[in-house]
């Protein structure tokens, strides 16, 4: 297993390098002067010259790429041109927003999509099946940005002053503070140390942090803020997962061992869960893993609509502001996420189906 | 032995009938699919709306109605049948932020959306087919290089890659379409490559080679016609996605620019008014969803009709 994982990580290095090259090239190919983009159109020639020199942007592109690779190999993602802060610091601040959003979106998609898929496979061609499939078709056709805005209109405005009201923006209400768990526990962490950065990353996942610190008020607030954006984000993956679950279940339900399982007197519940669903799970897990790209693309839009400072929106803003270090650092982080999730999906196959040997 | 196999293949041919009929069979199967019919009806209506836009739309899509009619900016829909006073001018979907008739803009927007869908996927199909065919036919390092480059493209979230491409080319509808086309190339290249790899081992390809047909002739006359059905299915589904993605780019300001009546851009320009004028967000979004739904339903129907094995 470990050997396989190592080999997989090594095999993904060329793609990762390709991602680095493409990102670097695309970022440099964006027309316009980063100095003018960040300091404004009125920046004088002298100011711009100094700015370009300070940021190392006057060096040849190949040299810049070399410096960048060298820094990256040392775990240094560079400094944002626009905020003059380290990219890692900004990543630690914003990645948790996207992780929470994406995770919640995928969770809703699975919790709704999988049971719907199973139900429509069990009642093939029934009203439930037709409704699910029509719903799934509508779901994959749904513009995420539109659904987000309409959800905000219904839940934040129409349902105002009802118990169903939900906040349309941000991660926490004004005045609500999520005290990091390491402060609550009284840990002494040196600023900028790896342990501090890692703790800060987890502490910025407000739901996780409030669970660790048993701060129910913050948990409630964070969850209510997360419902609308994650619901908007979940529609397309939900539709795809429901369709895949249905077709995978339909295939399994027609097999001989299903008849055997029923013949030996198992309850229908046992037959469906233990025999059918377990065997239908492999393609479902694959498709769930593939939703990461959909979720991330959706996150760019959802974060824009619900005013969340996540990775998606930050990247979009960095592209328009020509903030190269942010573009590069964040893209690399996303590429790592992709590779990591794909690896986890592949490794999970061995647990789901012991016949599969990875080595 | 040889004689038997020839007889077998002849009788097989007779049972299947000539190849033209397969398309008729597929068409007949498509008309039996509920989703296929629903998709065709939706798309038929949208196509009619696009063709007859000047007749259906009561106003010019970029005409500002200040001084023409006594209407307010972002006025709610006024439908006479639903009780709107007859002395007020009828605006089925209300008035937008620049005092233009929303309904007329939505109708004209159909033209833009269908154009976006067909052109982006057309470009993606042409480029993807060439790359996939070359990769599949040549094999070896050529295939490796092409497929690894496409892998790198696939390693980016599609919207992010499209944003980056548009950032390089500059915002605008055509550039956004190019961005979306590039993002869609890998999918088509993969479909064609796998078909080509399977088909090039067939006997009729060897037969063509043995009578001296060149690789291009084989590719265009034998291999591509036989891999057309997965391409049609992928293309139809792809058009829907392309419309959705281009609308998303327009929504974040990187696609169509004002005053073009593009649905994503229309939605974007009024998104801060969603609480005061929800109709200006609702209708463009509904239009996008309906169009994409049409292509998805038709794509599903085509998939079932053309290749039942691919059914999802």
């Amino acid at each position: 297993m470990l050997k396989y994982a190592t080999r997989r990580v090594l095999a993904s290095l060329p793609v990762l390098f390709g991602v680095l090259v493409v990102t670097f090239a695309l970022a440099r190919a964006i027309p316009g002067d980063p100095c003018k983009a960040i300091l404004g159109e009125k920046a004088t020639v002298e100011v711009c010259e100094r700015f370009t020199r300070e940021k190392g942007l006057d060096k040849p592109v190949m040299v810049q790429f070399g410096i960048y690779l060298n820094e990256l190999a040392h775990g240094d993602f560079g400094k944002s041109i626009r905020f003059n802060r380290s990219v890692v610091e900004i990543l630690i601040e914003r990645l948790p927003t996207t992780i929470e959003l994406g995770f919640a979106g995928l969770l809703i998609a699975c919790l709704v999509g999988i049971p719907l898929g199973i139900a429509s496979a069990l009642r093939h061609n029934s009203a439930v099946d037709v409704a699910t499939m029509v719903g799934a078709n509508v779901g994959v056709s749904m513009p995420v940005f539109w659904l987000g805005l309409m959800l905000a209109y219904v839940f934040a405005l129409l349902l105002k002053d009802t118990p169903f009201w939900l906040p349309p923006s941000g991660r926490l209400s004004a005045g609500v503070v999520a005290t990091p768990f390491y402060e609550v526990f009284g840990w002494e962490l040196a600023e900028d140390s790896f342990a501090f950065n890692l703790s800060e990353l987890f502490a910025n996942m407000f739901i996780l942090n409030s669970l660790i610190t048993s701060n129910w008020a913050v948990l409630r607030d964070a969850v209510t803020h997360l419902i609308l954006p994650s619901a908007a984000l979940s529609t397309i993956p939900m539709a795809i997962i429901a369709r895949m679950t249905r077709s995978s279940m339909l295939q399994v339900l027609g097999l001989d061992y299903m008849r055997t399982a029923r013949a030996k007197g198992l309850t229908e519940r046992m037959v469906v869960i233990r025999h059918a669903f377990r065997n239908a799970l492999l393609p479902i897990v694959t498709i769930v893993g593939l939703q990461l790209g959909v979720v991330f693309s959706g996150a760019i839009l959802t974060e824009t609509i619900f005013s969340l400072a996540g990775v998606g929106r930050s990247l979009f803003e960095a592209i328009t502001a020509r903030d190269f270090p942010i573009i590069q650092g964040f893209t690399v982080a996303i590429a790592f996420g992709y590779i990591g999730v794909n690896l986890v999906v592949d490794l999970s196959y061995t647990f789901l189906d012991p016949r599969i040997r990875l080595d | 032995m040889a004689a038997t196999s020839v007889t077998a293949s002849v009788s097989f041919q007779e049972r299947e009938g000539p190849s033209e009929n397969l398309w008729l069979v597929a068409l007949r199967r498509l008309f039996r699919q509920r989703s296929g019919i629903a998709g065709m009806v939706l798309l038929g209506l949208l196509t009619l709306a696009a063709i007859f836009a000047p007749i259906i739309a009561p106003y010019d899509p970029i005409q500002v109605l200040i001084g023409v009619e006594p209407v307010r900016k972002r006025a709610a829909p006024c439908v006479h049948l639903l009780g709107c006073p007859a002395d007020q001018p009828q605006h089925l979907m209300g008035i937008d932020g620049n005092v233009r008739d929303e309904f007329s803009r939505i109708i004209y927007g159909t033209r833009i959306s269908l154009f976006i869908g067909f052109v982006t996927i057309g470009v993606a199909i042409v480029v993807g087919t060439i790359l996939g065919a070359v990769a599949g036919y040549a094999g070896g390092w050529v295939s490796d290089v092409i497929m690894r480059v496409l892998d790198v493209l696939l390693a980016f979230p599609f919207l992010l890659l499209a944003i980056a491409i548009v950032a390089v080319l500059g915002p605008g509808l055509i550039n956004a379409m190019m961005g979306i086309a590039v993002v869609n190339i890998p999918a088509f290249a993969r479909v064609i490559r796998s078909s080509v790899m399977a088909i090039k081992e067939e006997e009729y390809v060897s037969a063509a080679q043995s009578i001296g047909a060149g690789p291009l002739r084989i590719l265009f006359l034998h291999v591509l016609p036989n891999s057309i059905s997965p391409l049609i299915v992928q293309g139809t589904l792809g058009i829907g996605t392309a419309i959705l993605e281009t609308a998303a780019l327009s929504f974040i300001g990187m696609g169509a620019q004002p005053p073009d009546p593009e649905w994503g851009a229309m939605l974007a320009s009024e998104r801060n008014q969603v609480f005061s004028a929800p109709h200006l967000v609702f209708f463009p979004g509904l239009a996008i969803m309906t169009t994409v739904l049409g292509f998805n339903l038709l794509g599903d129907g085509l998939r079932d009709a053309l290749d039942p094995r691919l059914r999802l």
Side-chain angles (χ1 to χ4, degrees):
Chain A
M1 181 82 88
L2 198 66
K3 213 170 96 187
Y4 173 79
T6 322
R7 212 171 57 212
R8 269 291 307 270
V9 172
L10 288 179
S12 52
L13 285 180
V15 173
L16 196 62
F17 184 74
V19 169
L20 283 178
V21 175
V22 171
T23 314
F24 195 87
L26 275 178
R28 293 303 183 283
I30 297 171
D33 186 358
C35 167
K36 290 268 163 64
I38 286 151
L39 298 182
E41 285 300 325
K42 288 187 182 149
T44 58
V45 181
E46 295 83 52
V47 171
C48 267
E49 259 174 23
R50 206 179 65 211
F51 178 87
T52 318
R53 207 168 41 242
E54 270 173 17
K55 306 291 175 196
L57 298 171
D58 54 342
K59 298 190 175 73
V61 174
M62 287 313 285
V63 176
Q64 285 187 44
F65 188 58
I67 294 173
Y68 172 61
L69 281 186
N70 184 38
E71 283 175 356
L72 201 64
H74 291 91
D76 181 3
F77 280 61
K79 232 176 182 183
S80 157
I81 300 180
R82 193 160 54 129
F83 301 111
N84 208 20
R85 287 167 59 200
S86 96
V87 173
V88 173
E89 206 179 296
I90 301 174
L91 203 58
I92 287 171
E93 195 178 280
R94 306 196 172 178
L95 192 59
T97 311
T98 310
I99 293 179
E100 242 177 32
L101 177 65
F103 189 77
L106 264 188
L107 191 71
I108 297 177
C110 289
L111 287 181
V112 180
I114 293 178
L116 276 181
I118 295 178
S120 62
L122 291 177
R123 293 187 175 67
H124 190 36
N125 286 333
S126 70
V128 178
D129 186 19
V130 173
T132 305
M133 285 304 103
V134 171
N137 257 317
V138 173
V140 284
S141 314
M142 189 77 77
V144 174
F145 45 96
W146 178 60
L147 182 66
L149 286 169
M150 291 326 287
L151 283 175
Y153 173 69
V154 171
F155 285 93
L157 188 77
L158 292 187
L159 296 176
K160 205 173 180 179
D161 305 322
T162 71
F164 300 107
W165 177 83
L166 289 168
S169 64
R171 295 180 71 197
L172 289 175
S173 306
V176 176
V177 182
T179 319
F181 65 90
Y182 55 86
E183 277 182 24
V184 173
F185 297 154
W187 294 357
E188 296 287 333
L189 297 169
E191 195 101 2
D192 271 347
S193 67
F194 180 71
F196 173 80
N197 282 342
L198 197 66
S199 309
E200 188 65 19
L201 185 76
F202 284 111
N204 278 334
M205 295 179 207
F206 292 153
I207 293 184
L208 185 72
N209 186 62
S210 54
L211 276 174
I212 298 174
T213 56
S214 318
N215 193 338
W216 310 128
V218 172
L219 179 69
R220 205 186 123 86
D221 197 53
V223 170
T224 47
H225 277 83
L226 195 59
I227 293 176
L228 289 185
S230 52
L233 190 60
S234 71
T235 40
I236 293 182
M238 186 193 295
I240 297 173
I241 291 170
R243 278 162 69 141
M244 187 45 113
T245 309
R246 173 178 177 268
S247 75
S248 181
M249 282 292 281
L250 277 179
Q251 243 167 33
V252 172
L253 286 172
L255 295 177
D256 283 347
Y257 61 78
M258 293 306 299
R259 200 176 39 209
T260 315
R262 287 203 180 94
K264 72 179 183 186
L266 287 182
T267 58
E268 192 59 27
R269 207 188 147 86
M270 283 288 263
V271 173
V272 171
I273 294 173
R274 288 266 303 271
H275 291 253
F277 183 61
R278 269 197 70 168
N279 284 297
L281 206 52
L282 219 59
I284 301 175
V285 170
T286 311
I287 208 91
V288 171
L290 286 176
Q291 295 316 302
L292 194 72
V294 179
V295 164
F296 191 81
S297 293
I300 301 179
L301 299 166
T302 327
E303 287 169 4
T304 308
I305 294 163
F306 292 97
S307 323
L308 302 168
V311 171
R313 204 174 75 157
S314 307
L315 248 176
F316 171 57
E317 285 170 0
I319 290 174
T320 40
R322 293 163 194 85
D323 193 344
F324 303 143
I326 295 253
I327 303 177
Q328 286 152 194
F330 278 36
T331 316
V332 171
I334 295 164
F336 267 116
Y338 261 51
I339 292 167
V341 168
N342 280 330
L343 187 63
V344 170
V345 168
D346 277 4
L347 292 181
S348 72
Y349 290 161
T350 48
F351 292 107
L352 297 172
D353 188 346
R355 284 171 306 182
I356 296 179
R357 292 267 169 275
L358 293 175
D359 297 300
Chain B
M1 187 64 197
T4 354
S5 69
V6 168
T7 347
S9 70
V10 167
S11 66
F12 180 71
Q13 285 252 317
E14 277 167 2
R15 253 187 293 126
E16 283 285 302
S19 64
E20 289 89 356
N21 271 354
L22 283 177
W23 291 105
L24 281 180
V25 171
L27 205 61
R28 214 174 304 129
R29 275 202 231 132
L30 180 63
F31 274 103
R32 269 194 304 233
Q33 299 281 337
R34 269 177 298 188
S35 65
I37 294 174
M40 278 190 286
V41 170
L42 271 181
L43 294 179
L45 290 175
L46 287 165
T47 313
L48 288 178
I51 295 172
F52 298 109
I55 299 170
I56 301 169
Y59 298 86
D60 185 276
I62 52 172
Q63 183 194 7
V64 177
L65 297 175
I66 300 175
V68 181
E69 280 180 357
V71 282
R72 279 179 305 111
K73 179 160 100 167
R74 299 200 180 90
C78 167
V79 185
H80 290 156
L81 276 175
L82 296 177
C84 179
D87 55 342
Q88 279 181 26
Q90 171 159 280
H91 292 283
L92 295 177
M93 296 180 180
I95 298 289
D96 79 355
N98 290 311
V99 200
R100 294 170 297 201
D101 180 52
E102 185 78 353
F103 177 66
S104 305
R105 292 178 64 74
I106 295 272
I107 292 292
Y108 272 93
T110 319
R111 289 183 166 186
I112 299 183
S113 280
L114 294 182
F115 171 74
I116 291 171
F118 283 107
V119 173
T120 44
I121 293 305
V123 172
I125 284 183
V126 171
V127 181
T129 302
I130 295 173
L131 288 177
V134 170
Y137 203 78
W141 66 268
V142 178
S143 169
D144 280 348
V145 169
I146 293 177
M147 295 325 280
R148 287 302 84 74
V149 170
L150 295 180
D151 276 353
V152 172
L153 287 188
L154 282 175
F156 289 93
F158 62 86
L159 193 58
L160 180 64
L161 186 60
I163 290 174
I165 294 171
V166 178
V168 172
L169 299 175
L173 184 58
I174 299 297
N175 290 344
M177 287 164 61
M178 287 304 113
I180 298 296
V182 171
V183 175
N184 276 293
I185 288 172
F188 291 102
R190 284 178 165 227
V191 166
I192 288 297
R193 176 172 169 266
S194 57
S195 299
V196 168
M197 279 179 15
I199 290 166
K200 77 172 178 184
E201 304 301 330
E202 296 279 346
E203 282 172 9
Y204 57 79
V205 174
S206 318
Q209 270 167 342
S210 68
I211 56 169
L216 277 183
R217 186 184 165 83
I218 292 177
L219 196 63
F220 282 103
L221 282 181
H222 300 281
V223 175
L224 285 184
N226 281 298
S227 38
I228 203 90
S229 69
L231 200 63
I232 290 178
V233 174
Q234 179 80 25
T236 314
L237 294 169
I239 291 177
T241 325
I243 293 176
L244 204 56
E245 288 163 357
T246 315
L249 280 182
S250 293
F251 178 75
I252 51 178
M254 308 208 80
Q257 304 294 321
D260 280 355
E262 199 273 337
W263 297 332
M266 286 163 66
L267 215 160
S269 62
E270 301 294 341
R271 80 181 165 100
N272 291 330
Q273 266 65 47
V274 63
F275 286 179
S276 56
H279 57 282
L280 297 179
V281 170
F282 179 73
F283 289 116
L286 189 68
I288 299 171
M289 199 194 74
T290 314
T291 312
V292 179
L293 183 64
F295 282 105
N296 281 341
L297 288 171
L298 181 64
D300 269 6
L302 281 170
R303 173 165 47 203
D304 291 351
L306 290 172
D307 192 351
R309 284 168 308 167
L310 289 173
R311 191 179 298 206
L312 190 75

